Amino acid sequence: MTWGSFGLSHTRGIHDAAGQSAKRDGLICNPALSRWLGLKACWLLPSILFCNSMIRSFHSQKLLGVPSSPLHNFHCTPQSTVSGKAYTFENPIILSFFVHPQRFPSIFPLIPSNCLPDSGNITIGCLAQGFKPDPVSFSWRKSNQIIDANLSEDFPSLAQPDGTFTTSSQVIVPVTDWNKYSHFYCTAVHYNHNETIQVIRPSKFMHLLCSIQSCSLSRPAVYILPPAAEEQELKETVTLTCLVKNFCPSDIFLQWLHNGQLVNATEYYISEPIPQSGSNSQFFLYSMLTVNEQQWSSGDTFTCMVGHEALPFNTTQKTVDKKTGGPSSPPSVYILPPPTEELALKETATLTCLANNFYPNEVLVQWLQNNQPVSRSKYITSKPTQESEKQNSYYVYSKLTISEQDWSNNDQFTCVVGHEALPLYTTQKTIDKTMGKPAVINVSLQFSDTLTTCY
């Protein structure tokens, strides 16, 4: 349950029947009181007497902690004491309002390239995202010293499709302090909540890369890869991989989120930026996050967030989850012999394996020749594709190219398909030259390290 703090106020005019007496006696009327039923500690503001009309205006405010659920009603009963006599309104004022849930921001550091001059100033920043309602305010300090607000700039918030907001702040600091690894801190304040993050220069290894790189800004491309099918079926944990490539300079930030919440940095590995082969200036890196298989299977979302100065707003992110749109459905598997026209050339023979009508779309395809794994270089497997007019149904096909002599020698070729909805997680079909139709066999298969998931 989310709680929000806010003020309620109401202003109402009352006829002051004792106004003339109060004026004649030279008395000052007591402030009007508003009693919030069932609540305590109102703010009571002095009433204002309009002498010409004998109308008194007053108001009261109350800071409330209110659950973020639908419409709420509160009752305010005004009372007034004039010349020692109390007046109470017969009908209380009913205030109705909607409460919007609060979500506190997650904040991340934004750092410049390490290839910096030896003097002058640089700009560092921090990003706040995933909060509502707007706004968030920022403050900066170096160690315990507050940085002048005139040196910082807060940017307008941007509304996101999920109803939350994203904003950022930047501050100008001396490059000499940055090069000395001084500790800078950004504090984001969101209503009665604040969070602080450290913004500090990265490791000296990153600085050494400046001596070997000279580049114009190059925006990173981010890819997030789901777990391999065999890992999901045979292990208690699965590994997600975030690949970031084509970026320059080498300074970059990476952070994982699980269902929108920051993941502890001890739970994942990030490689150092690695120069890309064939490029004199661009880099790539990868990060691997190990999660519980049940978290993945239940549909939890995992996000790889990347920060780089070449990106719009300095950040981008990619999210992956296991599609949970319906019940699991096992694949139907078919294997097709080589076309007669191809065999007539006596050069190669192509076998085709089709698996369809399965859900979810994670699937494994592996070929065997005489019960031995076939090199992946000899076959091509398509990506799982959604079948037309079937929302929760996918198909995949794989083509194995062999020599015509292997086919003529009556070698057996087996297409093994792995999927979570199969009784033993796998099924296979075998074909050879003598078979009029492929044989169907359900087996329990121990996967070797050579098995590879197709995506």
Side-chain angles (χ1 to χ4, degrees):
M1 180 178 292
T2 303
W3 292 76
S5 296
F6 51 89
L8 297 176
S9 64
H10 191 81
T11 303
R12 181 169 180 175
I14 61 172
H15 182 68
D16 191 348
Q20 293 181 349
S21 173
K23 182 178 180 181
R24 182 188 67 241
D25 296 338
L27 301 176
I28 299 176
C29 300
N30 294 331
L33 304 178
S34 292
R35 292 185 178 178
W36 298 86
L37 301 186
L39 304 170
K40 299 179 180 179
C42 303
W43 278 279
L44 306 176
L45 288 91
S47 59
I48 301 173
L49 179 63
F50 299 92
C51 296
N52 292 337
S53 61
M54 293 297 118
I55 296 296
R56 183 179 298 278
S57 175
F58 65 94
H59 69 278
S60 173
Q61 292 182 341
K62 171 64 182 176
L63 186 66
L64 304 172
V66 181
S68 57
S69 51
L71 182 69
H72 292 271
N73 294 325
F74 285 85
H75 297 256
C76 173
T77 302
Q79 292 182 339
S80 180
T81 302
V82 181
S83 298
K85 185 175 181 180
Y87 295 88
T88 302
F89 288 91
E90 295 181 357
N91 299 319
I93 303 165
I94 300 177
L95 301 177
S96 300
F97 55 91
F98 286 93
V99 180
H100 297 284
Q102 281 188 352
R103 185 181 297 176
F104 299 131
S106 299
I107 61 175
F108 309 91
L110 303 175
I111 59 178
S113 165
N114 266 317
C115 304
L116 299 171
D118 295 328
S119 61
N121 295 322
I122 61 169
T123 300
I124 61 176
C126 69
L127 172 77
Q129 70 165 25
F131 62 90
K132 64 179 179 180
D134 194 30
V136 161
S137 61
F138 296 91
S139 62
W140 286 88
R141 60 185 171 90
K142 174 190 171 185
S143 296
N144 294 323
Q145 181 180 358
I146 296 176
I147 299 177
D148 188 346
N150 292 326
L151 298 176
S152 64
E153 180 180 5
D154 298 350
F155 293 93
S157 299
L158 298 177
Q160 304 300 312
D162 62 356
T164 63
F165 292 85
T166 297
T167 187
S168 62
S169 175
Q170 65 181 30
V171 65
I172 298 174
V173 300
V175 69
T176 52
D177 289 346
W178 183 253
N179 288 338
K180 292 177 182 177
Y181 297 91
S182 297
H183 292 210
F184 295 92
Y185 297 90
C186 172
T187 298
V189 180
H190 184 244
Y191 291 84
N192 60 340
H193 174 82
N194 65 78
E195 186 172 345
T196 300
I197 193 170
Q198 185 182 76
V199 185
I200 189 172
R201 181 177 177 170
S203 66
K204 293 183 179 180
F205 171 84
M206 302 287 288
H207 179 61
L208 294 176
L209 292 173
C210 294
S211 61
I212 64 172
Q213 71 178 76
S214 175
C215 67
S216 57
L217 286 178
S218 180
R219 185 180 302 179
V222 181
Y223 308 90
I224 188 167
L225 309 177
E230 62 267 26
E231 187 179 28
Q232 298 178 53
E233 296 166 358
L234 303 176
K235 297 183 179 180
E236 295 182 356
T237 60
V238 296
T239 302
L240 307 174
T241 302
C242 183
L243 175 64
V244 187
K245 57 187 299 187
N246 302 336
F247 61 90
C248 192
S250 59
D251 228 8
I252 199 162
F253 165 82
L254 189 147
Q255 171 74 60
W256 284 93
L257 293 88
H258 176 200
N259 288 338
Q261 301 299 315
L262 290 176
V263 176
N264 192 307
T266 60
E267 297 181 23
Y268 56 88
Y269 166 80
I270 305 177
S271 71
E272 295 285 1
I274 303 168
Q276 290 184 196
S277 59
S279 173
N280 294 327
S281 59
Q282 293 184 336
F283 295 81
F284 78 94
L285 63 75
Y286 62 93
S287 177
M288 295 185 295
L289 171 67
T290 300
V291 301
N292 187 287
E293 194 278 333
Q294 288 186 337
Q295 293 176 328
W296 173 254
S297 297
S298 63
D300 288 7
T301 60
F302 297 89
T303 301
C304 178
M305 173 180 289
V306 173
H308 190 268
E309 62 181 295
L311 291 166
F313 304 105
N314 295 116
T315 61
T316 188
Q317 63 185 39
K318 288 292 180 70
T319 298
V320 67
D321 61 12
K322 184 170 185 177
K323 305 303 181 184
T324 53
S328 297
S329 177
S332 300
V333 180
Y334 309 89
I335 190 168
L336 306 177
T340 304
E341 296 82 1
E342 183 184 24
L343 294 175
L345 299 176
K346 296 186 179 298
E347 294 178 355
T348 60
T350 301
L351 303 174
T352 302
C353 181
L354 171 67
N356 66 353
N357 297 327
F358 59 87
Y359 186 85
N361 65 348
E362 290 92 356
V363 69
L364 168 76
V365 177
Q366 169 71 46
W367 284 92
L368 306 176
Q369 181 175 356
N370 294 329
N371 295 321
Q372 297 299 315
V374 175
S375 171
R376 286 208 57 195
S377 62
K378 294 186 177 181
Y379 62 91
I380 298 175
T381 304
S382 69
K383 294 182 178 180
T385 303
Q386 184 171 326
E387 299 194 39
S388 59
E389 300 181 359
K390 293 184 179 180
Q391 182 176 1
N392 295 330
S393 183
Y394 290 83
Y395 72 88
V396 68
Y397 63 88
S398 182
K399 290 188 174 183
L400 170 66
T401 301
I402 59 175
S403 68
E404 190 276 336
Q405 184 177 0
D406 286 345
W407 178 252
S408 298
N409 289 341
N410 288 331
D411 285 4
Q412 288 191 335
F413 297 91
T414 304
C415 177
V416 180
V417 176
H419 191 269
E420 65 175 61
L422 290 166
L424 298 174
Y425 296 117
T426 61
T427 188
Q428 69 180 34
K429 285 199 174 182
T430 299
I431 191 172
D432 62 28
K433 183 178 179 180
T434 63
M435 295 180 180
K437 291 185 179 181
V440 182
I441 307 173
N442 288 321
V443 299
S444 175
L445 183 66
Q446 294 294 325
F447 290 102
S448 69
D449 292 339
T450 61
L451 298 187
T452 304
T453 306
C454 169
Y455 294 104

